[in-house]
Amino acid sequence: PGWQRRQDIPEKAAIKVAVVVDGSASTLAPIRRGSDESRWDVIKSSVHQVFKKLPYDRKGFAVFASRIIARSGVMTTDYERILKPELDDISEWFIADVGQKTHFAFALKGCYALLAVDDTEGVCIILSDGEQQGYDVAELEADLAASIKELKAGLYDKGLSTKVKFYIVPVGDPNEA
C-alpha cells in the first residue's frame, strides 16, 4: 500500500457577492446613544467579516448616498490584496464630505453594476441605517420604483432573474432612528 493522491476533492460552486453599503452622513452617527462606535464603523467591520468568510466567491462592493460614491474596481476572490485596501481607503472624512442624502435607487444600481458582469449566481447585500433622505420624497420614491423596474428588466435580459438574491440588513438602533 502506497500513498495515493485523492482526485475527488469536492468543489464548491463559487458565486458573486456584492455588498452595497450606505455611505450617507447619517451613518457617521453613533450606533447607539452614548457609543463611540459609529454606524459606519459597524458597516465597514461587517463587510470585512463577510468577505473574509467567503474565500472562494467573487466579491465586490459599492458605497451609495445621493449617487454611487465609491466602488471596488473588480469582482475578485482576493480580499486581502484588493478589496480590503479599497474599503479601508473610504474614511469618515470622505463620507462626511460626499455622503449627502440617502438615495436607495443607487443601492440597486450598485447591485446591478456588480452582479451583471456575467451569468453566474449572485447575492446582493445592502447595509443601511434605513433613512431615505433627500429634498423631494416623492421624487426619491419614483426614482426607487424606476430603479427596481430597470433592475428587474436588466437581470431578466442577462438571464439572471432567478439567479440573484437580495438582502437588506439594517444598521443601527431601531429605537433611535
Side-chain angles (χ1 to χ4, degrees), residues 52-66:
K52 278 192 237 176
K53 291 182 180 187
L54 302 170
Y56 304 109
D57 298 313
R58 286 182 298 144
K59 301 164 283 292
F61 71 89
V63 182
F64 76 98
S66 60

Side-chain angles (χ1 to χ4, degrees), residues 2-134:
W3 290 97
Q4 290 182 342
R5 180 170 236 137
R6 185 174 175 175
Q7 298 295 323
D8 61 341
I9 298 171
E11 289 188 29
K12 179 183 174 211
I15 64 168
K16 297 175 294 214
V17 179
V19 178
V20 179
V21 299
D22 186 343
S24 64
S26 64
T27 62
L28 298 177
I31 190 70
R32 69 187 59 77
R33 210 170 290 159
S35 175
D36 289 335
E37 189 175 40
S38 72
R39 296 171 187 174
W40 178 247
D41 294 332
V42 172
I43 287 170
K44 213 166 161 178
S45 172
S46 298
V47 174
H48 283 307
Q49 288 175 29
V50 166
F51 284 173
K52 278 192 237 176
K53 291 182 180 187
L54 302 170
Y56 304 109
D57 298 313
R58 286 182 298 144
K59 301 164 283 292
F61 71 89
V63 182
F64 76 98
S66 60
R67 57 187 170 85
I68 298 293
I69 58 175
R71 185 177 152 207
S72 57
V74 295
M75 293 289 281
T76 180
T77 58
D78 194 343
Y79 163 73
E80 287 294 332
R81 290 185 315 137
I82 297 174
L83 296 176
K84 186 178 185 308
E86 286 181 351
L87 187 60
D88 286 342
D89 278 349
I90 302 170
S91 68
E92 289 189 1
W93 292 104
F94 177 77
I95 297 292
D97 189 39
V98 300
Q100 305 305 312
K101 305 179 192 160
T102 303
H103 201 317
F104 282 103
F106 284 98
L108 297 178
K109 290 176 188 213
C111 288
Y112 183 77
L114 291 165
L115 294 174
V117 295
D118 60 35
D119 65 353
T120 58
E121 289 185 31
V123 173
C124 185
I125 304 167
I126 300 171
L127 289 103
S128 175
D129 62 9
E131 298 177 29
Q132 178 146 301
Q133 300 171 347

